[in-house]
Amino acid sequence: MPSAASGLRLTAPDLLRIGQVVLQGGMWEGQRVVPAAWLEAMTRPGIPTGDGLRYSHLWYQGGGFVSAYGEPRPWLGANGNGGQRLYLMPAAGLAMACFCGLYNQPEQGATPLRIWREIVLANLLRA
């Protein structure tokens, strides 16, 4: 059964490279590896998920107040089983990969989301 949330076996640096490609507009080492149209589509407001997020083209879309900016900023998240997460905030050029081990557990996303919101975004400094 196909599942977008499982099947890849990546290291944290490899997962971060996916984030870098997105932050670099689909480019890697000077070559386009992701079509610009795909990036535009995945960042267009997606379908509401009922928990304050949206979903589009295999990415979750969130947002919230970021003190470094003094206002809300959008972010993107890619979710894998067990709490494996990739979070991006394009406005800050920021990517975070988190690996956890709560496979097939309903609360698997709680820890990575708290790290993203309460540690990374809460301590972000604007360059």
Side-chain angles (χ1 to χ4, degrees):
M1 172 184 287
S3 175
S6 63
L8 287 177
R9 302 294 186 253
L10 301 173
T11 64
D14 288 338
L15 185 57
L16 278 173
R17 282 185 191 98
I18 292 172
Q20 288 176 304
V21 167
V22 172
L23 294 176
Q24 294 170 170
M27 303 295 286
W28 183 256
E29 297 182 350
Q31 293 187 338
R32 176 154 304 280
V33 295
V34 177
W38 176 269
L39 295 172
E40 193 278 322
M42 72 179 234
T43 57
R44 222 178 294 134
I47 299 167
T49 61
D51 58 359
L53 301 177
R54 293 179 169 272
Y55 188 74
S56 178
H57 292 74
L58 306 177
W59 288 82
Y60 287 91
Q61 304 164 334
F65 183 80
V66 179
S67 60
Y69 288 90
E71 62 186 14
R73 290 290 174 153
W75 53 262
L76 300 167
N79 297 354
N81 187 15
Q84 283 42 275
R85 300 292 189 263
L86 173 63
Y87 291 112
L88 306 174
M89 181 172 281
L94 179 65
M96 181 196 97
C98 184
F99 282 20
C100 294
L102 293 172
Y103 296 99
N104 304 316
Q105 301 299 312
E107 69 277 8
Q108 65 181 294
T111 297
L113 188 56
R114 287 191 69 199
I115 292 168
W116 174 245
R117 287 179 172 164
E118 298 174 25
I119 297 174
V120 176
L121 295 182
N123 291 287
L124 181 65
L125 299 175
R126 191 169 177 184

